[in-house]
Amino acid sequence: MPLLRIEATHVRVVCDACRKASAEVCSKRDVLNARAIAIPKFQAVGWHHDAAYEQRAKRIDEAKRDGSGRWYCPECARRTHL
């Protein structure tokens, strides 16, 4: 059987506090919903998303939806009580 190349979309997040921790989620080939799939998965394992960082009030919902803003790994989130 020949090798089959499957293109996948990976969403990666790096901790904004320590810059060492990172996490990655593969949403397979769902390019349009990759971020929407990844955000709940990151949060389920303890990552904290600060969507309001330097955002206007009207854009906070958009930032929550697309994952922009700051992300903190579970260890840094516990340490800073986020």
Side-chain angles (χ1 to χ4, degrees):
M1 175 193 247
L3 292 176
L4 177 64
R5 190 175 125 206
I6 299 174
E7 292 187 24
T9 302
H10 292 261
V11 178
R12 186 174 195 200
V13 66
V14 177
C15 180
D16 213 40
C18 69
R19 301 272 183 204
K20 295 177 184 174
S22 66
E24 189 171 319
V25 172
C26 177
S27 64
K28 310 251 192 265
R29 291 178 250 181
D30 194 354
V31 177
L32 297 176
N33 296 318
R35 289 183 179 198
I37 293 167
I39 292 169
K41 289 184 178 185
F42 289 139
Q43 291 173 334
V45 295
W47 281 78
H48 174 76
H49 179 217
D50 184 6
Y53 178 74
E54 294 184 7
Q55 292 289 328
R56 294 182 187 164
K58 65 182 179 181
R59 294 186 183 177
I60 291 176
D61 288 338
E62 185 179 311
K64 286 180 183 177
R65 194 171 45 249
D66 69 8
S68 61
R70 291 186 172 203
W71 282 92
Y72 299 96
C73 68
E75 185 177 324
C76 291
R78 276 192 305 270
R79 193 174 335 130
T80 58
H81 305 307
L82 293 173

